[in-house]
Amino acid sequence: MAAAAAALRHLALRARLAPSPTAGAPLQRLQQRRGLRLSAPAAIQVTVRDALNQALDEELERDERVFLLGEEVAQYDGAYKISRGLWKKYGDKRVIDTPISEMGFAGIAVGAAMAGLRPVCEFMTFNFSMQAIDQVINSAAKTCYMSAGSIPVPVVFRGPNGAAAGVGAQHSQCFAAWYGHCPGLKVVSPWSSEDAKGLLKAAIRDDNPVVMLESELLYSVPFEMSEQAQSKEFVVPIGKAKIEKPGTHVTLVAHSRPVGHCMEAAAVLSKEGVECEVINLRTIRPMDIETVEASVAKTNHLVTVEGGWPQFGVGAEICARIMEGPAFNYLDAPAVRVTGADVPMPYAKILEDNSLPQVKDIVFAVKKTLNI
Amino acid sequence: MTNYGEEGTHVGSAAALDAADLVFGQYREAGVLLYRGYPLELFMAQCYGNARDPGKGRQMPVHYGCPQRHFVTISSPLATQIPQAVGAAYAIKRADASRAVVCYFGEGAASEGDAHAGFNFAATLECPIVFFCRNNGYAISTPTSEQYRGDGI
């Protein structure tokens, strides 16, 4: 049975590799050769913060069961201003400032979800979610299964994850691996504004508990948003990765802010004749390993990049799955992981900078795996 | 993370302690450490995370500590110091009956589950501990009217 399944996946992979020229190919080549940047009509620059705010606003308007709760989300407009203007617009019943108890308000969110509402629960950072982790894992994640499907828990836990700048060990941990480990949860990690808006809307509309790992350092970064992405019905499907930049020599896989570092590394390497394919995972669980497999089958080399710690991390999982699947046969070199340093995050800037993957580390890893 | 307006609470409470009493703070008790003689230069070195920082640049600003002055290093997550202070008080009770522990926290942190657990254990384990709540009316922007509904912590 397992052999048949493996054979089927192999066939599916081969089918994906079959070349299919698109109408846009000549245009893409022109863009790459001449360095032209062509914007889609009516696209605008939107920061990740504003994209999240739009998503919350639209979903609050669309479904009266949706509500926000967390510390400082209402009158303060949110600790990072993600919920700016929403309390003024929707009032006390829809945007709620909670007392300082993560265990408390996460539990309240879970209970409200079990009783038919659709809460969006903000952790000021996911570091503080550890105070509530029993509610997230033992209750939110496991209840649907434990009740044989009769008690869904449609809650979204969201907030900044991973490193910020100069906030030390207890404010900088990446929780992608921890939450990605647990069946019963969906875990998403956006990079661009389109990711942020589309995934948050998808998360709120999903009947499962969803953990949305944002990045404080990305909140103020503007990204281009197409006209389609600006619409109220724009949703990014959970469980589907995106190829941000096609390439032929090596596959770079990342999530969240490191996707940007990969794009920068790809630009540096392009000048040296190495074309990287950059994959933005978008979702940690369920992970879209098929997109990675198809890419590895094309490039034969894999480098994973993450801000989190190496042991038991996202990169470790990607490497394990690649080994277990058909793409293993296409690897010309062992996959390489670029990760955060295996230490609690230090505060001093020189120490912090060197505890996180930098563009030069990605370039080094690519050259090492390509043996150049 | 300033201490404006709360200087009196730091100095007054620190003056009531013996030098060897153990202090667990939240992050707004610089005056207690100052009272115990911690040099201003080291406060500044800690904030800058420079080469003279005894914490070697590992910690965010105002996360100072000093084992020699019995001031436990500040830790960010709110109210986690409360059960820890109780545990330390329990250990101290077993080792040396003449010492006590003082645990500082804000009224916002008192909403955390750890606070309830800490108070409960201090009572059931009969620990030599003083809980000092600095109620300054606000937790970031959240006023006490939204933090709790009793007449105090």
Side-chain angles (χ1 to χ4, degrees):
Chain A
M1 195 62 202
L8 268 172
R9 284 185 67 198
H10 199 102
L11 279 173
L13 184 61
R14 295 227 61 131
R16 287 184 69 155
L17 287 178
S20 55
T22 64
L27 190 59
Q28 281 167 358
R29 283 200 296 276
L30 182 68
Q31 278 177 262
Q32 278 163 8
R33 265 214 327 270
R34 298 281 217 75
L36 291 176
R37 228 191 113 259
L38 296 166
S39 298
I44 53 170
Q45 295 280 311
V46 180
T47 62
V48 171
R49 174 182 289 109
D50 288 340
L52 290 167
N53 187 268
Q54 270 174 38
L56 290 170
D57 194 355
E58 289 168 10
E59 295 305 300
L60 281 165
E61 185 181 54
R62 177 180 178 270
D63 185 343
E64 61 182 12
R65 297 170 300 170
V66 175
F67 72 100
L68 265 52
L69 78 166
E71 294 154 5
E72 308 299 314
V73 295
Q75 297 186 47
Y76 198 66
D77 278 337
Y80 298 101
K81 307 304 176 199
I82 305 301
S83 51
R84 188 194 290 126
L86 297 178
W87 173 69
K88 269 217 183 86
K89 185 171 175 184
Y90 294 99
D92 285 336
K93 281 217 166 76
R94 309 292 299 285
V95 184
I96 301 170
D97 274 337
T98 63
I100 304 178
S101 174
E102 285 75 11
M103 179 76 89
F105 62 74
I108 284 164
V110 171
M114 289 176 180
L117 293 181
R118 303 187 75 91
V120 178
C121 175
E122 177 175 303
F123 291 120
M124 202 178 280
T125 84
F126 267 95
N127 298 273
F128 308 146
S129 74
M130 285 197 281
Q131 305 232 357
I133 204 161
D134 182 271
Q135 294 288 354
V136 178
I137 307 297
N138 263 340
S139 290
K142 298 180 184 175
T143 292
C144 185
Y145 179 90
M146 293 187 334
S147 68
S150 64
I151 307 178
V153 187
V155 60
V156 175
F157 296 105
R158 51 156 295 274
N161 175 61
V167 290
Q170 293 166 327
H171 293 83
S172 305
Q173 187 172 334
C174 176
F175 289 85
W178 283 34
Y179 288 118
H181 186 61
C182 302
L185 282 182
K186 291 191 179 178
V187 181
V188 297
S189 183
W191 170 56
S192 64
S193 297
E194 197 177 280
D195 292 350
K197 180 178 170 184
L199 286 172
L200 183 51
K201 286 168 78 77
I204 291 172
R205 296 182 190 193
D206 199 309
D207 288 338
N208 293 285
V210 182
V211 168
M212 174 136 151
L213 304 170
E214 300 158 10
S215 164
E216 192 210 312
L217 291 172
L218 289 177
Y219 284 153
S220 299
V221 176
F223 289 86
E224 190 172 281
M225 275 187 93
S226 65
E227 197 173 3
Q228 184 206 13
Q230 292 164 52
S231 89
K232 283 188 182 175
E233 285 311 309
F234 175 73
V235 166
V236 164
I238 294 178
K240 201 81 193 67
K242 182 184 178 201
I243 298 178
E244 296 289 346
K245 176 195 171 292
T248 46
H249 298 126
V250 61
T251 299
L252 299 179
V253 187
H255 69 98
S256 190
R257 193 158 171 263
V259 174
H261 296 319
C262 286
M263 296 295 276
E264 282 180 62
V268 167
L269 286 160
S270 193
K271 293 197 184 99
E272 299 182 43
V274 176
E275 292 305 325
C276 304
E277 179 147 292
V278 179
I279 298 179
N280 173 5
L281 270 181
R282 284 181 157 177
T283 299
I284 304 293
R285 173 184 262 271
M287 193 183 286
D288 179 7
I289 200 66
E290 286 80 14
T291 296
V292 181
E293 284 173 339
S295 177
V296 168
K298 185 174 67 167
T299 67
N300 311 118
H301 296 87
L302 175 61
V303 173
T304 69
V305 185
E306 66 200 287
W309 294 318
Q311 208 162 320
F312 305 99
V314 174
E317 178 64 18
I318 294 171
C319 288
R321 291 209 205 181
I322 290 295
M323 277 222 300
E324 290 166 352
F328 172 72
N329 299 305
Y330 293 84
L331 277 173
D332 285 348
V336 170
R337 296 179 290 168
V338 178
T339 71
D342 195 33
V343 288
M345 182 67 73
Y347 164 74
K349 188 165 195 315
I350 186 84
L351 295 175
E352 185 181 44
D353 286 346
N354 286 292
S355 300
L356 288 167
Q358 301 175 61
V359 174
K360 64 174 171 72
D361 299 316
I362 303 171
V363 170
F364 179 80
V366 166
K367 290 187 173 177
K368 191 166 130 180
T369 195
L370 289 176
N371 208 18
I372 53 174
Chain B
M1 284 304 161
T2 59
N3 298 267
Y4 301 144
E6 301 193 25
E7 299 89 339
T9 65
H10 301 175
V11 175
S13 56
L17 299 171
D18 288 342
D21 289 336
L22 192 56
V23 175
F24 280 78
Q26 182 168 304
Y27 47 49
R28 219 182 289 280
E29 297 85 11
V32 175
L33 193 52
L34 195 62
Y35 185 89
R36 286 187 164 185
Y38 199 65
L40 277 175
E41 291 81 4
L42 288 187
F43 275 108
M44 287 187 273
Q46 197 285 324
C47 282
Y48 278 100
N50 62 25
R52 294 183 58 196
D53 171 24
K56 301 189 204 253
R58 303 306 202 246
Q59 283 264 47
M60 291 178 75
V62 314
H63 285 57
Y64 27 68
C66 185
Q68 296 80 12
R69 291 175 175 81
H70 308 288
F71 189 99
V72 177
T73 309
I74 302 296
S75 173
S76 302
L78 294 178
T80 53
Q81 76 274 17
I82 300 180
Q84 288 164 11
V86 174
Y90 181 69
I92 281 175
K93 180 171 89 159
R94 291 176 55 147
D96 175 0
S98 65
R99 289 176 75 201
V101 174
V102 67
C103 178
Y104 295 88
F105 54 94
E107 88 290 347
S111 293
E112 289 281 8
D114 273 354
H116 176 85
F119 300 156
N120 197 40
F121 275 101
T124 56
L125 293 173
E126 296 177 4
C127 300
I129 182 166
V130 173
F131 293 108
F132 193 105
C133 175
R134 298 176 292 93
N135 188 338
N136 60 14
Y138 284 94
I140 309 187
S141 79
T142 305
T144 51
S145 56
E146 297 192 16
Q147 195 66 245
Y148 56 82
R149 286 296 154 86
D151 57 3
I153 292 302

